[in-house]
Short mmCIF file of all heavy atoms in Angstrom, two decimals:
data_model
loop_
_atom_site.label_atom_id
_atom_site.label_comp_id
_atom_site.label_asym_id
_atom_site.label_seq_id
_atom_site.Cartn_x
_atom_site.Cartn_y
_atom_site.Cartn_z
N GLU A 220 138.54 16.56 71.29
CA GLU A 220 138.31 17.55 70.22
C GLU A 220 139.45 18.66 70.24
O GLU A 220 139.75 19.19 69.11
CB GLU A 220 136.98 18.26 70.38
CG GLU A 220 135.80 17.42 70.02
CD GLU A 220 134.51 18.16 70.09
OE1 GLU A 220 134.48 19.36 70.43
OE2 GLU A 220 133.43 17.50 69.78
N HIS A 221 140.04 18.94 71.31
CA HIS A 221 141.08 20.00 71.36
C HIS A 221 142.39 19.51 70.69
O HIS A 221 143.35 20.35 70.52
CB HIS A 221 141.35 20.46 72.80
CG HIS A 221 141.73 19.37 73.75
ND1 HIS A 221 140.97 18.20 73.91
CD2 HIS A 221 142.74 19.22 74.60
CE1 HIS A 221 141.55 17.41 74.81
NE2 HIS A 221 142.63 18.02 75.22
N LYS A 222 142.47 18.27 70.42
CA LYS A 222 143.70 17.71 69.78
C LYS A 222 143.45 17.38 68.31
O LYS A 222 144.39 16.84 67.69
CB LYS A 222 144.21 16.41 70.57
CG LYS A 222 144.48 16.70 72.07
CD LYS A 222 145.64 17.62 72.20
CE LYS A 222 145.99 17.79 73.70
NZ LYS A 222 147.11 18.73 73.97
N LYS A 223 142.31 17.64 67.84
CA LYS A 223 141.97 17.31 66.44
C LYS A 223 142.25 18.48 65.50
O LYS A 223 142.42 19.66 65.94
CB LYS A 223 140.48 16.92 66.36
CG LYS A 223 140.21 15.62 67.08
CD LYS A 223 138.78 15.17 66.97
CE LYS A 223 138.55 13.89 67.72
NZ LYS A 223 137.11 13.44 67.65
N GLU A 224 142.39 18.20 64.21
CA GLU A 224 142.89 19.14 63.25
C GLU A 224 142.10 20.48 63.23
O GLU A 224 142.74 21.53 63.16
CB GLU A 224 142.80 18.52 61.81
CG GLU A 224 143.40 19.42 60.74
CD GLU A 224 143.42 18.74 59.41
OE1 GLU A 224 143.08 17.53 59.34
OE2 GLU A 224 143.73 19.37 58.42
N HIS A 225 140.77 20.37 63.36
CA HIS A 225 140.01 21.65 63.29
C HIS A 225 140.43 22.59 64.43
O HIS A 225 140.63 23.79 64.15
CB HIS A 225 138.52 21.31 63.44
CG HIS A 225 137.67 22.54 63.54
ND1 HIS A 225 137.46 23.43 62.50
CD2 HIS A 225 136.99 23.03 64.56
CE1 HIS A 225 136.68 24.44 62.93
NE2 HIS A 225 136.35 24.26 64.15
N PHE A 226 140.50 22.06 65.63
CA PHE A 226 140.87 22.96 66.77
C PHE A 226 142.33 23.40 66.72
O PHE A 226 142.67 24.46 67.07
CB PHE A 226 140.56 22.33 68.12
CG PHE A 226 140.75 23.26 69.30
CD1 PHE A 226 139.81 24.26 69.56
CD2 PHE A 226 141.94 23.26 70.00
CE1 PHE A 226 140.03 25.16 70.59
CE2 PHE A 226 142.19 24.15 71.00
CZ PHE A 226 141.22 25.10 71.33
N LEU A 227 143.19 22.50 66.25
CA LEU A 227 144.55 22.85 66.13
C LEU A 227 144.89 24.01 65.19
O LEU A 227 145.91 24.64 65.26
CB LEU A 227 145.43 21.61 65.70
CG LEU A 227 145.47 20.48 66.74
CD1 LEU A 227 146.17 19.24 66.10
CD2 LEU A 227 146.16 20.93 67.98
N SER A 228 143.88 24.30 64.29
CA SER A 228 143.98 25.44 63.42
C SER A 228 143.89 26.74 64.17
O SER A 228 144.31 27.80 63.74
CB SER A 228 142.96 25.37 62.32
OG SER A 228 141.69 25.57 62.78
N PHE A 229 143.20 26.61 65.37
CA PHE A 229 143.09 27.81 66.28
C PHE A 229 144.25 27.88 67.26
O PHE A 229 144.83 28.94 67.50
CB PHE A 229 141.80 27.78 67.07
CG PHE A 229 140.55 27.73 66.25
CD1 PHE A 229 139.71 26.66 66.22
CD2 PHE A 229 140.25 28.83 65.45
CE1 PHE A 229 138.56 26.62 65.44
CE2 PHE A 229 139.11 28.83 64.62
CZ PHE A 229 138.25 27.73 64.61
N ASN A 230 144.62 26.75 67.79
CA ASN A 230 145.75 26.71 68.81
C ASN A 230 146.55 25.46 68.43
O ASN A 230 146.15 24.36 68.78
CB ASN A 230 145.21 26.64 70.20
CG ASN A 230 146.35 26.69 71.23
OD1 ASN A 230 147.56 26.56 70.85
ND2 ASN A 230 145.97 26.80 72.47
N PRO A 231 147.78 25.64 67.94
CA PRO A 231 148.59 24.47 67.53
C PRO A 231 149.06 23.65 68.69
O PRO A 231 149.55 22.51 68.55
CB PRO A 231 149.80 25.18 66.77
CG PRO A 231 149.81 26.56 67.30
CD PRO A 231 148.38 26.94 67.59
N PHE A 232 148.94 24.18 69.94
CA PHE A 232 149.34 23.49 71.14
C PHE A 232 148.17 22.56 71.65
O PHE A 232 148.36 21.88 72.61
CB PHE A 232 149.77 24.39 72.24
CG PHE A 232 151.06 25.14 71.84
CD1 PHE A 232 150.99 26.49 71.41
CD2 PHE A 232 152.30 24.48 71.89
CE1 PHE A 232 152.19 27.16 71.08
CE2 PHE A 232 153.44 25.11 71.54
CZ PHE A 232 153.38 26.50 71.15
N GLY A 233 147.04 22.67 71.05
CA GLY A 233 145.90 21.85 71.42
C GLY A 233 145.30 22.10 72.82
O GLY A 233 145.00 21.18 73.56
N GLN A 234 145.23 23.35 73.23
CA GLN A 234 144.67 23.71 74.52
C GLN A 234 143.62 24.79 74.36
O GLN A 234 143.72 25.66 73.51
CB GLN A 234 145.83 24.27 75.40
CG GLN A 234 146.95 23.27 75.73
CD GLN A 234 148.07 23.90 76.47
OE1 GLN A 234 148.64 24.93 76.10
NE2 GLN A 234 148.51 23.29 77.57
N VAL A 235 142.57 24.67 75.20
CA VAL A 235 141.57 25.67 75.25
C VAL A 235 141.89 26.79 76.15
O VAL A 235 142.73 26.56 77.11
CB VAL A 235 140.16 25.02 75.68
CG1 VAL A 235 139.70 24.03 74.67
CG2 VAL A 235 140.29 24.40 77.02
N PRO A 236 141.40 28.00 75.84
CA PRO A 236 140.41 28.34 74.87
C PRO A 236 141.10 28.95 73.59
O PRO A 236 142.31 29.09 73.61
CB PRO A 236 139.64 29.46 75.58
CG PRO A 236 140.68 30.16 76.35
CD PRO A 236 141.64 29.05 76.87
N ALA A 237 140.30 29.23 72.61
CA ALA A 237 140.73 30.01 71.44
C ALA A 237 139.66 31.06 71.12
O ALA A 237 138.49 30.84 71.45
CB ALA A 237 141.00 29.04 70.26
N LEU A 238 140.08 32.16 70.50
CA LEU A 238 139.13 33.23 70.17
C LEU A 238 139.21 33.48 68.69
O LEU A 238 140.23 33.50 68.09
CB LEU A 238 139.57 34.48 70.92
CG LEU A 238 138.76 35.75 70.62
CD1 LEU A 238 137.49 35.78 71.43
CD2 LEU A 238 139.55 37.04 70.85
N GLU A 239 137.99 33.68 68.11
CA GLU A 239 137.88 34.20 66.75
C GLU A 239 137.16 35.56 66.81
O GLU A 239 136.08 35.67 67.40
CB GLU A 239 137.01 33.21 65.92
CG GLU A 239 137.64 31.98 65.47
CD GLU A 239 136.74 31.22 64.53
OE1 GLU A 239 135.90 30.45 65.03
OE2 GLU A 239 136.84 31.43 63.33
N ASP A 240 137.74 36.50 66.21
CA ASP A 240 137.07 37.85 66.04
C ASP A 240 137.32 38.26 64.63
O ASP A 240 138.40 38.78 64.30
CB ASP A 240 137.67 38.87 67.08
CG ASP A 240 136.88 40.14 67.11
OD1 ASP A 240 135.91 40.24 66.36
OD2 ASP A 240 137.21 41.01 67.94
N GLY A 241 136.33 37.98 63.76
CA GLY A 241 136.55 38.20 62.36
C GLY A 241 137.58 37.25 61.86
O GLY A 241 137.58 36.03 62.09
N ASP A 242 138.66 37.83 61.18
CA ASP A 242 139.74 37.01 60.66
C ASP A 242 140.84 36.84 61.69
O ASP A 242 141.88 36.21 61.36
CB ASP A 242 140.25 37.52 59.33
CG ASP A 242 140.78 38.97 59.50
OD1 ASP A 242 140.75 39.50 60.61
OD2 ASP A 242 141.27 39.48 58.46
N LEU A 243 140.70 37.37 62.86
CA LEU A 243 141.69 37.23 63.91
C LEU A 243 141.48 35.98 64.75
O LEU A 243 140.40 35.75 65.23
CB LEU A 243 141.69 38.46 64.81
CG LEU A 243 142.67 38.49 65.95
CD1 LEU A 243 144.13 38.58 65.50
CD2 LEU A 243 142.38 39.65 66.95
N LYS A 244 142.54 35.24 64.89
CA LYS A 244 142.51 34.02 65.74
C LYS A 244 143.56 34.16 66.82
O LYS A 244 144.68 34.44 66.58
CB LYS A 244 142.71 32.78 64.93
CG LYS A 244 141.70 32.47 63.87
CD LYS A 244 142.02 31.18 63.12
CE LYS A 244 140.97 30.92 62.03
NZ LYS A 244 141.33 29.69 61.26
N LEU A 245 143.13 33.92 68.09
CA LEU A 245 144.11 34.07 69.22
C LEU A 245 143.93 32.85 70.13
O LEU A 245 142.92 32.26 70.23
CB LEU A 245 143.76 35.32 70.02
CG LEU A 245 143.96 36.69 69.36
CD1 LEU A 245 143.44 37.79 70.27
CD2 LEU A 245 145.37 36.89 68.94
#
Side-chain angles (χ1 to χ4, degrees):
E220 286 185 359
H221 56 308
K222 301 297 184 182
K223 295 181 179 179
E224 185 176 352
H225 173 69
F226 186 79
L227 292 174
S228 69
F229 300 116
N230 183 351
F232 295 102
Q234 296 174 311
V235 294
L238 176 84
E239 285 185 274
D240 192 355
D242 60 359
L243 178 67
K244 296 180 181 179
L245 296 174

